[in-house]
Amino acid sequence: AIELLSHVDCDKVFITVTDSTATGDDRAFPAIPEKTRFLDISERSSEGIKNYSYLGSLKSLAYLHVNTVCGREFDIGLIKGNAGLVHLVMSMQKLKNPSMLGELRELRQLDLSWCKGLQDIAFVGELANLERLIINVTDVSYLSPIQNLRHITYVDASSTELSLLPQKSVDGLRKLNIMCTKLTKDDVAA
């Protein structure tokens, strides 16, 4: 596959990897150009990619969308070396080492929707450039890590275990979706 992509301008081309591109007996992630900037991983079968270790060699990603249906753990440690990553969608994933997301300091948009088991978002406080955070349908119960983010404008925390809002106002926040949470009218009014 990498030979076919050797003439691709990695600064302009969006590469999609599907489960049918897995290689070898261990169903490994296929080799793609290491300078890839825009990557979509879309799996549609339980026979998807099982070995994602090749992702650790990619250090130039600016956009990553991971959409798998297999229910295997996705180790955030594999992508933490992408210092320039600004847009990350990891919806419906079982995340391993989610605290490592805090090392992706350039992130502006982070979608962790439907990541059941995700409870602790303390790492969000390290994402100074974050503008949009989507954590709906997770097990997150508090939003205090967003309170010092100067650029945050949008948070979707609907259908979560949310029972505690930030203790101080979040200046740039323009939209906060907290429908179907444990918050009471009194919590929201305060």
Side-chain angles (χ1 to χ4, degrees):
I2 198 162
E3 305 84 36
L4 296 173
L5 297 172
S6 63
H7 301 292
V8 168
D9 183 348
C10 293
D11 285 327
K12 297 179 181 174
V13 174
F14 199 97
I15 295 176
T16 298
V17 173
T18 64
D19 42 3
S20 64
T21 61
T23 62
D25 291 339
D26 66 344
R27 308 246 344 126
F29 191 89
I32 62 174
E34 289 185 7
K35 300 252 185 230
T36 298
R37 304 223 346 108
F38 309 99
L39 178 60
D40 175 36
I41 302 170
S42 293
E43 295 186 50
R44 299 288 183 248
S45 78
S46 60
E47 291 301 313
I49 297 167
K50 295 184 174 145
N51 177 353
Y52 281 94
S53 60
Y54 186 82
L55 276 179
S57 68
L58 302 178
K59 305 290 184 208
S60 300
L61 292 173
Y63 178 98
L64 176 61
H65 180 192
V66 178
N67 182 12
T68 64
V69 295
C70 302
R72 285 184 287 281
E73 277 189 331
F74 188 96
D75 187 359
I76 297 301
L78 292 172
I79 62 169
K80 72 177 186 170
N82 286 280
L85 191 63
V86 294
H87 188 107
L88 178 60
V89 178
M90 299 284 299
S91 57
M92 295 196 292
Q93 301 304 304
K94 207 183 291 184
L95 301 177
K96 180 179 179 184
N97 300 315
S99 63
M100 289 183 176
L101 288 167
E103 296 179 35
L104 300 172
R105 300 252 176 8
E106 294 302 314
L107 273 179
R108 288 181 175 80
Q109 297 188 38
L110 178 59
D111 182 345
L112 301 174
S113 57
W114 291 83
C115 287
K116 293 306 258 174
L118 178 66
Q119 298 175 332
D120 185 3
I121 59 165
F123 60 84
V124 168
E126 302 296 319
L127 304 176
N129 295 307
L130 196 64
E131 299 168 1
R132 293 176 58 88
L133 175 64
I134 303 171
I135 53 171
N136 60 303
V137 196
T138 63
D139 296 323
V140 172
S141 61
Y142 64 98
L143 288 178
S144 55
I146 72 166
Q147 65 191 10
N148 294 318
L149 298 180
R150 293 188 347 229
H151 301 287
I152 195 83
T153 60
Y154 177 88
V155 175
D156 184 349
S158 60
S159 300
T160 62
E161 298 297 314
L162 190 63
S163 60
L164 185 62
L165 290 171
Q167 293 181 344
K168 65 180 196 177
S169 69
V170 181
D171 292 335
L173 191 61
R174 298 292 171 251
K175 182 168 183 180
L176 174 62
N177 186 348
I178 52 174
M179 293 185 58
C180 301
T181 64
K182 294 183 175 183
L183 291 168
T184 66
K185 285 182 183 180
D186 292 336
D187 294 329
V188 175

